[in-house]
Amino acid sequence: MPRRHPVRGVPQRAKDKRRDNPGDAFRCVGCRLDVPFHAPGTAHRNHCPNCLTSLHVDGRIPGDRRARCRGRMVALSLSVRPDGEWMIIHSCLACDELSANRVAGDDNALVLLRMALRPFGARLPQRALLAL
Amino acid sequence: MTIKNPYLSMDTFTCVRCGLVVSRQAPEGRPRNHCPSCLHSQHTADTDCQSRMIPISIAVLRNGDWMLIHRCTRCDELTSNPISGDDNQLILVRMAVRPLAQPPFPLEAFGDL
Ligand SMILES: [Zn+2]
Ligand SMILES: [Zn+2]
Ligand SMILES: [Zn+2]
Ligand SMILES: [Zn+2]
């Protein structure tokens, strides 16, 4: 899916060199997809690009890997930063902790869009919303 | 010397952003912690932080109810709270629509959702 405005601001940096180990992928706890840690336009990937599920391994700072929880984190909602970038709010099913994570360049656009439409349910015609 | 009315301070709080004096009980009878006018809150749950929390997202429960996600301006902690019947509808809807108004990909490709 082409991006209307490519990710702006400071380029993301991979903070954890251990992720460069052979077998440079993780298996998604949501959809079992094998996900490479590295993808174009994406550093320290922390959620599955297919179903957006994540694992509770980070503390306050994305990439710090300071959480012991290891619970499954599901994509709960979207937030838009002042600079226009979409953030995914993840919610841990084990401990209820919330975290905000940047959308990656290869995240499933249809899943993202469904999440953006979620607040409106059947209350508004989706066609009207998409015409915004 | 100011005499604090213990009943007043127990039943109300003053919004840290707009100064509105807000009843701690929402119209639904539930306790609430954000201002119904500007939707800002204060970081008081399980912490000494006390800083201002800004509304950043609308989450939807399985039953369709909207929850308001706040982020603390000092420590970045995120919290989730139910909305109330007297919450500012304009700000709520604006926040809910915002991702669609600023999509990272062209929405036209999904015309037949
Ligand atoms: Zn997945
Ligand atoms: Zn957790
Ligand atoms: Zn207020
Ligand atoms: Zn705080």
Side-chain angles (χ1 to χ4, degrees):
Chain A
M1 182 58 54
R3 295 294 149 129
R4 186 167 278 166
H5 31 247
V7 178
R8 278 169 291 186
V10 188
Q12 299 182 38
R13 268 181 304 119
K15 284 183 182 154
D16 192 341
K17 277 291 170 203
R18 282 172 300 165
R19 290 181 186 183
D20 292 326
N21 286 342
D24 197 16
F26 64 91
R27 177 156 292 175
C28 172
V29 293
C31 70
R32 313 309 295 169
L33 184 74
D34 283 317
V35 182
F37 276 116
H38 295 288
T42 304
H44 66 254
R45 191 205 288 283
N46 59 12
H47 56 263
C48 169
N50 181 47
C51 72
L52 309 184
T53 298
S54 181
L55 206 56
H56 193 185
V57 291
D58 288 343
R60 280 289 159 73
I61 303 155
D64 68 10
R65 300 183 78 81
R66 292 186 65 171
R68 300 249 167 125
C69 175
R70 309 280 306 168
R72 182 193 296 208
M73 301 195 84
V74 293
L76 175 71
S77 65
L78 292 170
S79 172
V80 182
R81 293 204 309 203
D83 66 2
E85 187 173 356
W86 277 21
M87 303 291 285
I88 301 173
I89 308 295
H90 279 100
S91 166
C92 179
L93 296 181
C95 74
D96 282 340
E97 179 87 355
L98 301 174
S99 72
N101 299 284
R102 297 168 77 170
V103 166
D106 58 353
D107 281 352
N108 188 325
L110 185 59
V111 175
L112 286 171
L113 181 57
R114 289 221 176 98
M115 194 155 44
L117 289 167
R118 218 182 266 168
F120 307 100
R123 272 178 265 182
L124 280 170
Q126 304 203 328
R127 207 168 271 282
L129 285 166
L130 291 182
L132 272 172
Chain B
M1 189 179 112
T2 49
I3 299 162
K4 256 200 164 173
N5 180 336
Y7 296 101
L8 186 75
S9 59
M10 255 162 47
D11 295 347
T12 64
F13 64 90
T14 302
C15 174
V16 286
R17 178 157 184 271
C18 74
L20 188 73
V21 177
V22 179
S23 160
R24 285 194 192 276
Q25 202 179 36
E28 295 84 2
R30 262 195 312 246
R32 72 161 143 215
N33 54 19
H34 62 259
C35 168
S37 175
C38 72
L39 306 188
H40 284 238
S41 185
Q42 194 171 9
H43 195 190
T44 53
D46 312 317
T47 178
D48 300 328
C49 180
Q50 301 291 322
S51 291
R52 185 153 61 95
M53 302 193 82
I54 58 173
I56 62 159
S57 174
I58 302 288
V60 186
L61 298 179
R62 278 182 190 282
N63 64 8
D65 283 355
W66 284 14
M67 301 288 283
L68 195 51
I69 310 290
H70 284 95
R71 181 174 54 76
C72 179
T73 52
R74 184 176 148 269
C75 73
D76 279 341
E77 177 88 354
L78 300 174
T79 62
S80 165
N81 295 285
I83 62 166
S84 308
D86 59 350
D87 278 352
N88 189 322
Q89 298 283 309
L90 182 64
I91 302 180
L92 286 175
V93 171
R94 218 181 252 157
M95 202 159 14
V97 167
R98 192 144 183 240
L100 292 170
Q102 290 179 282
F105 41 77
L107 296 181
E108 293 76 14
F110 298 97
D112 288 326
L113 254 194

